[in-house]
Amino acid sequence: MMYDPTAHLLLTPVDKEAPTRVRRLRRLGIGLHPDRAFDAFADRLAEVTAAPYSMVNFIDENRQFFAGLHTPDSTGSGSELTAAAAGEGAVCRYMARDHGYCPHVVVRRKALVLEDVCDYPRFAGNPVVDEIGIRSYLGAPLIDRTGVALGTVCVVDVEPRPWGRSGLETIKAMAAELIEQIHRREDGGI
């Protein structure tokens, strides 16, 4: 984990699996470019959870990439999320590894439910809180058949959200569904 001596909190977890993940993502041909199927999946995820933002997120050693993205303006670009991720109003699908909560989900290999990130000092200090205004997060890891955590599916909101057990079950089921799609793609079925 990275240690911030000014805040005395462990911020971004050390990710020893990153090189293996990157090799697997390259073999699968995902994680470098926007993908219409992943965008459609993110749209559906946002609809199912009634969240303004949803992502299919792949993570390498230094950054996160939203291969699938749903934003309130429904264009997948131009939102506060992508603009803040890129800095200076630029539009992109990348975010630094130390921004957001998905790197925690990947390293933990478990879903994460944060109904109000401000209730958790470890997560309240994340840059997405101040820079983007994120207040709630729900995410699950994408663990493929080789055992590699490729990334996450997640939803975020700028308001606290009572995700509850049903939210946890939903995000885990959606992650399992997407992994099956990735496996079918790998097997030549998509």
Side-chain angles (χ1 to χ4, degrees):
M1 302 208 143
M2 291 178 51
Y3 182 73
D4 179 351
T6 60
H8 302 293
L9 295 173
L10 295 173
L11 300 176
T12 305
V14 172
D15 185 359
K16 294 178 182 175
E17 190 178 59
T20 303
R21 176 181 319 105
V22 170
R23 285 191 299 276
R24 180 72 175 134
L25 289 169
R26 297 308 167 260
R27 272 191 296 254
L28 292 169
I30 58 178
L32 289 175
H33 306 286
D35 186 301
R36 287 185 183 162
F38 294 151
D39 280 341
F41 189 90
D43 289 342
R44 198 160 125 280
L45 180 59
E47 183 179 330
V48 166
T49 61
Y53 299 98
S54 66
M55 285 78 66
V56 173
N57 187 10
F58 299 109
I59 301 171
D60 67 20
E61 295 98 331
N62 302 306
R63 63 185 181 182
Q64 305 173 65
F65 177 69
F66 308 130
L69 179 63
H70 173 88
T71 63
D73 64 7
S74 300
T75 66
S77 64
S79 70
E80 298 87 357
L81 180 67
T82 53
E88 284 303 308
V91 175
C92 80
R93 290 178 179 238
Y94 294 98
M95 183 178 284
R97 200 176 158 280
D98 65 347
H99 283 55
Y101 309 105
C102 291
H104 295 272
V105 171
V106 167
V107 170
R108 290 169 23 126
R109 303 173 65 84
K110 291 177 14 181
L112 179 62
V113 179
L114 299 172
E115 294 182 344
D116 185 343
V117 298
C118 294
D119 289 343
Y120 304 89
R122 174 181 188 180
F123 296 116
N126 194 285
V128 297
V129 175
D130 293 332
E131 293 175 20
I132 305 171
I134 299 302
R135 285 293 301 273
S136 61
Y137 172 91
L138 177 65
L142 296 168
I143 301 175
D144 83 342
R145 63 177 74 159
T146 66
V148 174
L150 301 173
T152 67
V153 292
C154 69
V155 294
V156 297
D157 201 336
V158 295
E159 300 292 331
R161 291 281 301 265
W163 303 112
R165 176 150 311 277
S166 65
L168 176 62
E169 290 170 4
T170 297
I171 200 72
K172 288 167 69 174
M174 295 295 285
E177 181 181 322
L178 186 58
I179 277 296
E180 287 305 314
Q181 285 182 21
I182 291 169
H183 290 161
R184 283 193 306 274
R185 182 185 287 196
E186 181 180 29
D187 295 340
I190 293 181

